[in-house]
């Protein structure tokens, strides 16, 4: 082995060192480290077979065993089994070769690593099996790696099975931070940027079919993108939007813009959106509030109250399964927030960037609490029949949007704190419409990321300030943070953004990522039904008032809080019988039923009073004209039929979603379906009042 010719022949095949140890603190990582330690200290130096999926660095594990053993100073060479000749001359030599010139002879008592055993020619495998059993006089140690089962070799080798990355998701954060530190060192970044928990949680939902090899590529691409974006300087925190993973396997989608290409150009036209938002919606909002303050104060004589309660509520609920969160694109609260934000920018004030980290952890519960307070205000102070108080509610939400726009860039209020926006985002998951981008096009062709960051015109992409909710369309896992404003479609120069039809409620999946406070918001929305009909539910109690708008305020408020809390109390008590995960899946499976019951609650006002908006608007100013204007009111039996049909539809959709959420437990699904039926019947009785 000391001859220069032998060393020159072995040099291209030598393994110099192990690249890294086994990263992670999960039980899988600990078991793998123990197996490597036992194999390295094996006094018999038996052959080792390391099996596992592609991309698990099985060759590095073999190097760890060799360089951790007493034979660490001896040579280790590596061969690719797929490249070996069927006659074995690569290893054993050929009859024409001089004696002692075969690779095994040159290696002597060193270690041989043979990769991809499953791809070795079939004619050569018997010889390798004999070699593993101690044949051919080889004095060194053998290491094999394989991606499939190798029965003969498993019986004569020490077997080490390497679990895939998707099994040890607990280790992903440690692998991420380790990989970022290594790559940052090569880029000259010190210290390395931090990896937020939100990034790790999102990546833990991905299966990584190519395991560590794919993870390394993901980290490399993310840091290269950050280096371009930051001008080469080291950032303090890695943003979530630089990590690109293929989307979850989707069901059938119908691309609307591919079907009608001219619709894309019309819908992304800036003049259309600017005219609607700043030329129409903003001033209509001012007019409505003046009408609420200066006009009659009851719904029978104020057209603005009629618009808000008889038109807006039923229509927005009807819109959720069709267009998702589209209302937020035209929301007058945020229109005035954007107007103020542009004004303060023009005056020299620069709103701060959004706070990084787990913003949903504190913002989402606040959103649910805010919506509960609005519902209490609505019922106890009779907002449905008090115009100036309804205006106060609108102006209060607008104040939140304005303050949020002055403090932070874009629509921080809309994404995290707006109570109405939270409801819209929750029910938008039922929509048959979605806006997404193609991950392959974005990661392979785009370097500006103007769709969510904003930027100048590029190609057919237009000048924009980026996604108002700060989300990349390729990273959307559901409709919660998409308001269909089409800003991303305006900015994209690669036609990556697609507007598509999909199956209803496609976002409600067993593995979906949930904000911390969203289940609480869902319970608050269910509580709205109990609150609106508090006397029917709680009237048997002697202290409960006949109505929530008359009588001592403390008593009315206590009754309202109790009625609103009923779904939450039942949900909390259910934790005594069922696991939290099962209850949460059941709760989201009931989302269509809750939507249907809320719509059924507002149908009597919508179908009974929406057609009276013209005579109501003029009744206090021109009573004579009001009698001449057209009016329409649905018959009570028609309203009752529509309520029953909507509740039946919601129950059927809930049964389908519960099957998806509780797929592994048939008994649990049947029980949840019976529960949904009982809730549908009780809810139909409740909204009939």
């Amino acid at each position: 082995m000391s001859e220069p010719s032998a060393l020159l022949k072995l040099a291209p095949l030598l393994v110099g060192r192990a690249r890294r140890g086994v990263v992670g603190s999960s039980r899988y990582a600990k078991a793998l480290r123990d197996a490597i330690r036992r194999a390295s200290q094996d006094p018999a130096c038996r052959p080792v077979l390391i099996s596992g999926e592609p991309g698990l660095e099985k060759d590095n594990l073999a190097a760890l065993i060799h360089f951790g053993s007493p034979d660490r100073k001896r040579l280790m060479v590596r061969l690719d089994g797929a490249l070996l000749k069927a006659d074995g001359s690569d290893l054993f030599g050929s009859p024409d070769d001089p004696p002692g010139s075969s690779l095994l002879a040159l290696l002597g008592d060193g270690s041989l690593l043979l990769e991809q055993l499953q791809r070795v020619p079939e004619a050569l495998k018997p010889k390798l099996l004999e070699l593993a059993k101690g044949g051919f006089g080889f004095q060194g140690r053998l290491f094999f790696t394989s991606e499939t089962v190798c029965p003969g070799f498993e019986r004569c080798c020490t077997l080490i099975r390497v679990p895939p990355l998707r099994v040890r998701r607990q280790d992903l954060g440690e692998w991420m931070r380790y990989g970022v530190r290594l790559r940052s060192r090569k880029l000259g970044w010190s210290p390395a940027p931090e990896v937020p928990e939100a990034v790790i949680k999102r990546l833990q939902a991905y299966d990584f079919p190519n395991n560590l090899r794919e993870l390394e590529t993901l980290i490399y691409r993310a840091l290269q993108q950050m280096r371009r974006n930051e001008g080469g300087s080291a950032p303090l925190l890695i943003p979530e939007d630089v990590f690109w993973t293929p989307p979850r396997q989707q069901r059938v989608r119908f691309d609307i813009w591919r079907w009608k290409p001219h619709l894309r150009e019309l819908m992304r036209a800036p003049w259309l959106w600017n005219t609607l938002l700043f030329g129409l919606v903003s001033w209509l909002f001012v007019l409505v509030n003046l009408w609420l303050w200066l006009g009659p104060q009851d719904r029978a004589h104020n057209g603005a109250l009629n618009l808000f309660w008889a038109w807006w509520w039923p229509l927005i609920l009807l819109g959720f399964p069709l267009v998702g969160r589209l209302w937020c694109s035209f929301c007058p609260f945020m229109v005035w927030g954007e107007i103020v934000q542009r004004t303060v920018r023009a005056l020299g004030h620069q709103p701060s960037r959004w706070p990084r980290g787990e913003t949903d952890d504190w913002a989402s519960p606040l959103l649910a609490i805010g919506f509960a307070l609005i519902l209490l205000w609505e019922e106890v102070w009779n907002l449905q029949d008090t115009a100036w108080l309804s205006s106060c509610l609108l102006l209060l939400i607008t104040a939140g949007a304005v303050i949020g726009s002055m403090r932070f860039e874009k629509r921080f209020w809309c994404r995290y704190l707006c109570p109405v926006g939270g409801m819209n985002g929750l029910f938008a998951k039922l929509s048959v419409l979605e806006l997404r981008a193609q991950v392959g096009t974005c990661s392979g062709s785009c370097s500006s990321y103007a769709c969510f960051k904003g930027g100048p015109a590029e190609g057919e992409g237009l000048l924009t300030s980026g996604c108002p909710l700060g989300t990349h369309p390729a990273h959307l896992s559901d409709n919660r943070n998409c308001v269909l404003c089409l800003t991303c479609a305006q900015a994209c120069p690669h036609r990556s953004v697609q507007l598509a039809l999909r199956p209803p409620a496609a976002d409600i999946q067993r593995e979906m990522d949930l904000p911390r406070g969203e289940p609480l918001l869902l319970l608050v929305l269910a509580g709205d039904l109990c609150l609106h009909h508090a006397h029917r539910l709680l009237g048997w109690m002697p202290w409960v008032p006949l109505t929530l708008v008359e009588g001592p305020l403390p008593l009315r408020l206590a009754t309202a809080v109790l009625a609103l809390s009923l779904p939450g109390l039942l949900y909390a008590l259910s934790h005594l019988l069922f696991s939290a995960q099962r209850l949460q899946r059941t709760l989201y499976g009931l989302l269509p039923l809750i939507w249907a019951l809320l719509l059924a609650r507002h149908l009597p006002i919508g179908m009974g009073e929406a057609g009276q908006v013209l005579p109501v608007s003029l009744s206090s100013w021109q009573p004579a004209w009001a009698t001449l204007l057209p009016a329409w009111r649905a018959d009570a039996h028609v309203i009752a039929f529509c309520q029953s049909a909507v509740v039946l539809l919601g129950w059927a959709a809930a049964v389908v979603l519960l099957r998806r959420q509780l797929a592994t437990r048939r008994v649990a699904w049947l029980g949840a379906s019976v529960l949904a039926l009982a809730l549908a019947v009780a809810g139909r009785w409740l909204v009939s009042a």
Side-chain angles (χ1 to χ4, degrees):
M1 286 301 299
S2 60
E3 296 181 4
S5 59
L7 291 175
L8 287 175
K9 186 173 182 179
L10 294 177
L13 308 174
L14 289 177
V15 177
R17 60 182 178 85
R19 294 189 297 277
R20 61 173 65 89
V22 177
V23 180
S25 57
S26 69
R27 61 185 179 91
Y28 297 102
K30 293 176 182 177
L32 187 57
R33 279 194 291 267
D34 290 340
I36 291 172
R37 189 179 302 111
R38 288 193 299 269
S40 64
Q41 301 302 320
D42 182 7
C45 294
R46 285 173 295 184
V48 179
L49 172 60
I50 305 174
S51 65
E53 296 180 359
L56 285 171
E57 296 189 336
K58 296 183 288 294
D59 60 329
N60 182 65
L61 300 181
L64 281 173
I65 297 173
H66 172 77
F67 290 106
S69 72
D71 299 329
R72 64 178 64 89
K73 294 184 179 180
R74 296 174 182 170
L75 298 181
M76 183 179 193
V77 299
R78 174 171 52 198
L79 290 176
D80 188 344
L83 302 179
L84 294 179
K85 296 178 182 178
D87 60 2
S89 58
D90 312 73
L91 282 174
F92 306 102
S94 63
D96 299 331
D97 292 338
S101 63
S102 67
L103 187 143
L104 291 179
L106 294 175
L107 185 58
D109 56 359
S111 296
L112 171 63
L113 169 59
L114 188 60
E115 296 186 286
Q116 300 194 83
L117 181 59
Q118 78 282 358
R119 298 184 63 187
V120 169
E122 290 297 326
L124 181 57
K125 285 185 178 180
K127 285 188 176 182
L128 292 180
L129 185 58
E130 183 181 351
L131 180 66
K133 293 178 179 179
F136 299 100
F138 180 55
Q139 301 299 317
R141 191 171 189 183
L142 288 171
F143 295 91
F144 301 99
T145 69
S146 175
E147 296 173 4
T148 60
V149 176
C150 302
F153 290 87
E154 290 181 358
R155 287 192 292 268
C156 64
C157 296
T158 299
L159 180 61
I160 298 178
R161 298 187 187 276
V162 188
L165 193 56
R166 67 177 178 275
V167 172
R168 41 185 172 136
R169 298 179 195 269
Q170 178 185 337
D171 296 333
L172 184 61
E174 295 168 82
W175 274 107
M176 285 285 298
R177 295 184 177 96
Y178 176 78
V180 168
R181 286 198 301 271
L182 289 185
R183 287 290 177 186
S184 298
R185 193 178 305 162
K186 294 180 181 180
L187 293 173
W189 290 353
S190 181
E194 295 183 13
V195 184
E197 285 298 324
V199 170
I200 295 171
K201 287 182 180 179
R202 184 171 71 84
L203 294 180
Q204 283 175 335
Y206 178 58
D207 284 342
F208 286 97
N210 284 315
N211 294 292
L212 298 176
R213 187 184 307 149
E214 184 174 2
L215 180 61
E216 282 195 342
T217 303
L218 191 74
I219 294 172
Y220 171 77
R221 187 186 303 163
L223 295 191
Q224 289 298 323
Q225 180 182 330
M226 289 169 58
R227 186 170 64 86
R228 290 194 299 266
N229 294 344
E230 302 289 340
S233 59
L236 298 177
L237 197 70
I238 297 182
E240 185 177 356
D241 45 56
V242 297
F243 287 99
W244 298 91
T245 55
R248 184 179 62 224
Q249 185 65 34
Q250 295 181 336
R251 302 175 186 176
V252 62
R253 296 295 191 271
F254 179 76
D255 189 344
I256 296 175
W257 287 342
R258 181 175 295 181
W259 173 53
K260 296 290 183 181
H262 67 278
L263 280 178
R264 179 178 182 271
E265 301 307 319
L266 175 63
M267 296 174 69
R268 68 195 288 264
W271 64 266
L272 174 64
W273 292 93
N274 290 334
T275 301
L276 287 173
L277 294 179
F278 303 107
L280 182 62
V281 172
S282 58
W283 301 112
L284 277 178
F285 184 66
V286 174
L287 175 62
V288 166
N289 278 279
L290 289 174
W291 196 350
L292 291 172
W293 279 93
L294 303 177
Q297 291 300 297
D298 60 293
R299 198 167 71 243
H301 299 89
N302 192 305
L305 267 184
N306 182 283
L307 287 173
F308 185 61
W309 295 105
W311 283 84
W312 184 83
W313 263 109
L315 286 179
I316 196 174
L317 286 166
L318 280 170
F320 288 140
L322 302 176
V323 293
R325 201 177 168 179
L326 180 63
W327 161 256
C328 290
S329 292
F330 304 99
C331 172
F333 312 139
M334 204 58 228
V335 170
W336 280 100
E338 288 197 13
I339 291 173
V340 172
Q341 189 175 82
R342 295 183 183 187
T343 303
V344 297
R345 284 181 185 274
L347 295 175
H349 172 70
Q350 185 68 24
S352 303
R353 299 185 68 178
W354 289 8
R356 297 287 186 179
E358 298 290 338
T359 311
D360 267 323
D361 284 353
W362 58 266
S364 191
L366 286 179
L367 185 150
I369 294 171
F371 203 92
L373 293 176
I374 288 176
L375 293 176
L376 291 172
W377 189 12
E378 172 190 325
E379 293 296 334
V380 176
W381 279 269
N382 195 20
L383 265 64
Q384 292 189 13
D385 213 38
T386 311
W388 73 274
L389 279 179
S390 293
S391 176
C392 287
L393 173 60
L394 300 180
L395 294 176
L396 183 63
I397 300 176
T398 305
V402 168
I403 295 172
S405 299
M406 294 174 64
R407 179 67 180 86
F408 295 110
E409 63 179 355
K410 300 186 178 181
R411 294 189 177 188
F412 180 81
W413 168 265
C414 287
R415 174 160 179 168
Y416 291 112
L417 295 175
C418 178
V420 179
M423 176 190 68
N424 295 351
L426 179 61
F427 284 130
K429 297 179 182 182
L430 302 175
S431 175
V432 298
L433 201 65
E434 72 174 15
L435 192 73
R436 299 290 188 270
Q438 303 174 70
V439 173
T441 302
C442 296
S443 61
S445 305
C446 183
S447 59
S448 64
Y449 307 105
C451 56
F452 77 100
K453 291 175 58 179
E458 178 186 350
E460 69 171 33
L462 307 174
L463 170 68
T464 70
S465 57
C467 174
L469 298 191
T471 305
H472 197 293
H475 291 154
L476 287 170
S477 58
D478 56 39
N479 280 348
R480 183 173 69 99
N481 290 324
C482 179
V483 298
L484 294 176
C485 64
L486 302 185
T487 302
C488 53
Q490 293 174 354
C492 180
H494 307 290
R495 298 203 172 199
S496 175
V497 181
Q498 299 174 331
L499 182 69
L501 293 172
R502 65 178 191 178
D507 292 339
I508 309 296
Q509 302 291 336
R510 298 179 73 245
E511 68 277 8
M512 60 186 176
D513 187 24
L514 301 178
R516 190 181 298 273
E518 196 173 66
L520 176 60
L521 175 61
L522 187 50
L523 292 170
V524 168
L525 289 168
D528 180 33
L529 295 164
C530 303
L531 174 61
H532 191 67
H533 302 283
H535 188 265
R536 296 200 80 186
L537 285 174
L538 305 175
W540 55 273
M541 297 182 181
W543 55 271
V544 170
L546 293 176
T547 174
L548 294 178
V549 299
E550 295 178 357
L553 177 60
L555 193 59
R556 290 187 287 129
L557 195 56
T559 304
V561 170
L562 177 60
L564 184 64
S565 305
L566 284 178
L569 292 174
L570 293 175
Y571 184 75
L573 290 174
S574 300
H575 280 80
L576 300 175
L577 301 175
F578 306 102
S579 66
Q581 186 181 52
R582 178 174 169 182
L583 284 175
Q584 194 171 78
R585 288 176 179 170
T586 303
L587 184 62
Y588 274 85
L590 294 174
L591 183 62
L593 178 59
I594 295 174
W595 163 82
L597 290 172
L598 284 173
L599 178 58
R601 182 212 141 174
H602 287 91
L603 279 180
I605 295 180
M607 299 179 68
E609 300 182 19
Q612 309 289 323
V613 63
L614 293 178
V616 164
S617 301
L618 292 180
S619 61
S620 60
W621 297 334
Q622 297 291 338
W625 290 9
T627 58
L628 301 177
L629 293 174
W632 174 83
R633 182 191 300 272
D635 183 77
H637 296 87
V638 174
I639 296 175
F641 173 81
C642 292
Q643 285 181 303
S644 299
V646 166
V647 173
L648 182 62
L649 176 64
W651 174 77
V655 170
V656 174
L657 279 192
L658 287 168
R659 182 74 179 100
R660 185 186 304 169
Q661 295 293 88
L662 305 171
T664 57
R665 298 189 177 187
R666 183 179 181 85
V667 175
W669 168 61
L670 292 174
S673 299
V674 173
L675 172 65
L677 180 60
L679 292 175
V681 172
R684 179 64 186 91
W685 165 78
L686 203 59
V687 300
S688 64

